[in-house]
Amino acid sequence: MYCIIVQTQLKPGKREAFLRAMLPNAEASVREEPGCYVFDVLEDQDNPDLFHLYEIYASKEALAEHKTTEHYKASRAVVTELIAEQNVIKADVLAANHASKR
């Protein structure tokens, strides 16, 4: 499995617009893409304009396929202008120990 952790620093005051675009993208990614296992949207506790996207895919190819979907393209069309800075960590998943306890 393949993981990316995307750290996204937004421009001031862009939090709500970012979430309106990103949350549906994250939900659709897991629901509609067989190769997308996890797409969590995390908000930094100390900085309301800093988000971390935690995404696990079956492979690098599944991530590439994700970037061709309509929900990804729609989200990027909105969020690109909201971002002040973005960094990506790329990693191989050695163990995924997730259990939903909602």
Side-chain angles (χ1 to χ4, degrees), residues 34-102:
C36 181
Y37 301 142
V38 174
F39 195 134
D40 294 338
V41 180
L42 312 172
E43 180 181 30
D44 193 89
Q45 289 186 347
D46 297 323
N47 179 349
D49 292 326
L50 179 61
F51 290 85
H52 308 276
L53 307 178
Y54 179 72
E55 306 173 44
I56 297 179
Y57 295 89
S59 62
K60 288 180 183 180
E61 294 77 18
L63 172 59
E65 180 65 26
H66 163 70
K67 293 180 179 182
T68 68
T69 64
E70 291 305 314
H71 53 265
Y72 172 85
K73 291 176 186 177
S75 173
R76 284 311 293 188
V78 173
V79 302
T80 298
E81 295 300 317
L82 310 176
I83 297 170
E85 184 178 344
Q86 194 167 61
N87 300 299
V88 180
I89 296 171
K90 301 172 185 177
D92 292 319
V93 178
L94 302 180
N97 302 301
H98 175 77
S100 180
K101 300 200 181 201
R102 296 180 192 177

